[in-house]
Amino acid sequence: MSYKRVTAIGDSFTRGDELADCPDYPSDGKGSHMTWPALIAKSINAEYKCMAVGGKGNQWTSWVVAKKICDAHEYGNTPSLFIINWSWFERFDYVNIDDDLWVTTHPRHDNKLDHYFYRNLDSDLWNLFRNLQQIHSTISLLKQHNIDFIMTCLDPTYNTNVKDFCSDSFVQDIRGQAWTKVIAQLQEQVLPYIIAFNEMSFLDWANHHNYQLGPNGHPLEEAHAAAAEYVRRTVPLLH
């Protein structure tokens, strides 16, 4: 298909933080034109729109996808490709109702609420389940509206087993068996749609190939150019 627009959604790795042309303000709705999604758009002569914001999690990302789908006047008759790059599962987004603003918890945030969340509520099992659910519902929504998409994931745990991070006693009892079946069922539906870079995330792949990273750990121009070439070569939608 000949796409007229490519819309990229994700966090700072999608926005292109630390690339030479990335805007200074992380919430201005614009991003670098040197990221691999931007280079994909350029290679197919499509308009590029970046909806990525640094530090956001996957609840926010799925909401942006749903919102863009609802913008029928924008996408109704325009052949569009979505590039969705899921972030780390430990992040948790919620809405501050009073201000109608999305807020993201993060382990490195220095505030009492985040400290309480990660000390008392957070767990690897819950993170895996809720993020797989979020990804699954987003895939279903995109397919329902016949929108083509490319998905990647920075968090390598999306394809791990419950036994990899839960105790043997938990995995073997009836609770653990139920969790194992539910997680496996979601992974069966989700994994075929997530593109890996030689079975790695974009960041791990960039590190593996010794591409230069910025001071804050973001892959720089050479890594993005190589990633764009990898995606063009391996994703059937682009052929």
Side-chain angles (χ1 to χ4, degrees):
M1 178 180 289
S2 178
Y3 301 107
K4 300 298 183 182
R5 179 184 292 116
V6 172
T7 299
I9 304 167
D11 63 5
S12 58
F13 289 81
T14 305
R15 184 174 177 270
D17 284 23
E18 300 192 83
L19 296 179
D21 69 335
C22 194
D24 293 333
Y25 300 100
S27 59
D28 60 6
K30 298 180 180 178
S32 168
H33 285 270
M34 303 172 74
T35 62
W36 69 261
L39 295 174
I40 292 293
K42 183 179 180 180
S43 71
I44 61 175
N45 296 314
E47 174 193 353
Y48 180 64
K49 189 163 189 176
C50 179
M51 301 300 298
V53 175
K56 293 300 185 184
N58 294 332
Q59 285 78 23
W60 176 86
T61 293
S62 66
W63 178 80
V64 174
V65 175
K67 181 176 181 296
K68 298 310 294 181
I69 291 174
C70 288
D71 291 341
H73 67 279
E74 185 174 357
Y75 290 106
N77 298 313
T78 302
S80 302
L81 175 68
F82 277 47
I83 297 180
I84 303 161
N85 297 311
W86 301 105
S87 188
W88 281 278
F89 288 2
E90 64 193 8
R91 295 178 179 177
F92 179 71
D93 307 299
Y94 62 95
V95 177
N96 182 328
I97 298 299
D98 293 335
D99 299 324
D100 191 26
L101 293 175
W102 280 89
V103 183
T104 303
T105 61
H106 194 286
R108 290 195 292 271
H109 288 175
D110 188 17
N111 62 65
K112 291 182 179 180
L113 177 60
D114 285 26
H115 289 174
Y116 181 89
F117 176 85
Y118 287 104
R119 185 173 62 251
N120 297 284
L121 302 176
D122 180 65
S123 73
D124 291 336
L125 184 62
W126 178 55
N127 287 339
L128 180 59
F129 174 69
R130 67 180 174 83
N131 280 278
L132 286 172
Q133 271 194 318
Q134 208 77 53
I135 296 171
H136 181 269
S137 67
T138 302
I139 291 170
S140 299
L141 192 61
L142 288 162
K143 290 172 69 69
Q144 178 184 347
H145 289 271
N146 297 313
I147 296 174
D148 288 341
F149 59 90
I150 294 171
M151 282 185 178
T152 71
C153 187
L154 279 170
D155 197 308
T157 64
Y158 70 89
N159 63 353
T160 57
N161 296 316
V162 173
K163 66 181 181 181
D164 293 333
F165 51 83
C166 291
S167 67
D168 289 342
S169 59
F170 176 83
V171 172
Q172 291 168 8
D173 72 18
I174 191 169
R175 296 172 305 151
Q177 292 175 24
W179 274 102
T180 299
K181 291 177 182 177
V182 169
I183 295 295
Q185 179 178 244
L186 284 169
Q187 288 173 327
E188 182 181 354
Q189 298 296 317
V190 166
L191 264 60
Y193 295 98
I194 296 181
I195 294 167
F197 296 82
N198 293 131
E199 300 185 358
M200 291 176 275
S201 71
F202 171 49
L203 178 58
D204 290 342
W205 179 80
N207 276 312
H208 178 76
H209 288 283
N210 295 314
Y211 290 122
Q212 186 179 3
L213 306 182
N216 294 320
H218 297 90
L220 299 182
E221 285 81 358
E222 184 182 12
H224 279 277
E229 178 57 32
Y230 178 90
V231 172
R232 283 196 299 267
R233 188 176 67 250
T234 59
V235 175
L237 283 175
L238 300 174
H239 296 162

